[in-house]
Amino acid sequence: MMKITVLMGSPREVNTNVMVEAFKGGAEEAGHEVTVLNVGKMKIAGCLACEYCHTKGDGECIQKDDMIKIYPELEECEALVFASPIYYFTMTAQIQAAIQRIYAIDHPPVATKAALMLSSMSPDVYDGAIGEYNGILDYMDLEDRGVIAVCDPDNGTEETLDKCRELGRNI
């Protein structure tokens, strides 16, 4: 069994949410524990670069917003999954704020694996998000377990959901 944390960056519960639910179902079927954090609906400010977390804060951010709910999950997760719609060539601003605030702890200390799920209404808009994800993998020394990037008309199809379930089972 593995503890998986999913950061979902969609402020709407449409395509990305359906992908995450399918992923979660597959992962739980394989015996994993999955926590989905919908950062798209949380109040998370961007990093202030004040360095409080690395000086007086001992890894704790000075900002007391919804990120406080995410840090404990990041501390314990063995796999970290990013799920986001693509609105304008990269992951949403909401998930970006959460990703930037991971800076306070540097990286999830026990995580060894990661995955990425993206949805869009347009093709050929994934390079920015995938590039960022690859940078995160390198910096945090995480093993890539898969990237699923889907655009209309494939959003929500059974084939797409099967891929998400399979990713969950095999993470």
Side-chain angles (χ1 to χ4, degrees):
M1 188 206 57
M2 185 180 346
K3 185 168 176 32
I4 302 168
T5 297
V6 179
L7 299 181
M8 183 171 69
S10 180
R12 300 174 55 222
E13 293 186 12
V14 190
N15 297 320
T16 307
N17 185 62
V18 172
M19 292 172 72
V20 167
E21 287 304 311
F23 170 88
K24 182 179 179 190
E28 288 176 343
E29 179 184 300
H32 303 304
E33 177 186 336
V34 181
T35 301
V36 177
L37 300 168
N38 190 347
V39 298
K41 292 193 173 197
M42 293 180 174
K43 299 293 182 198
I44 301 172
C47 180
L48 299 173
C50 67
E51 290 298 324
Y52 177 85
C53 58
H54 294 145
T55 55
K56 299 175 196 162
D58 194 31
E60 186 176 313
C61 184
I62 197 166
Q63 298 183 80
K64 304 303 177 219
D65 55 15
D66 285 340
M67 194 67 189
I68 220 151
K69 300 171 188 173
I70 297 169
Y71 287 126
E73 296 297 329
L74 293 174
E75 292 285 345
E76 297 177 1
C77 73
E78 297 164 88
L80 182 58
V81 178
F82 303 96
S84 181
I86 301 291
Y87 295 150
Y88 202 69
F89 299 101
T90 194
M91 291 184 266
T92 61
Q94 292 87 344
I95 198 170
Q96 289 293 341
I99 290 169
Q100 296 299 312
R101 295 276 297 283
I102 293 173
Y103 177 71
I105 63 168
D106 189 50
H107 65 281
V110 295
T112 59
K113 300 176 181 184
L116 177 65
M117 294 187 293
L118 302 169
S119 63
S120 178
M121 299 301 284
S122 303
D124 304 321
V125 294
Y126 304 104
D127 290 348
I130 293 170
E132 178 179 9
Y133 172 69
N134 286 330
I136 290 168
L137 291 174
D138 289 344
Y139 180 77
M140 295 184 186
D141 195 27
L142 300 173
E143 176 189 348
D144 174 29
R145 298 302 293 157
V147 174
I148 297 174
V150 182
C151 72
D152 263 2
D154 295 325
N155 281 318
T157 64
E158 203 53 43
E159 181 181 344
T160 293
L161 299 181
D162 283 343
K163 287 179 185 176
C164 295
R165 286 184 201 98
E166 188 67 18
L167 180 60
R169 282 190 288 273
N170 294 318
I171 194 160

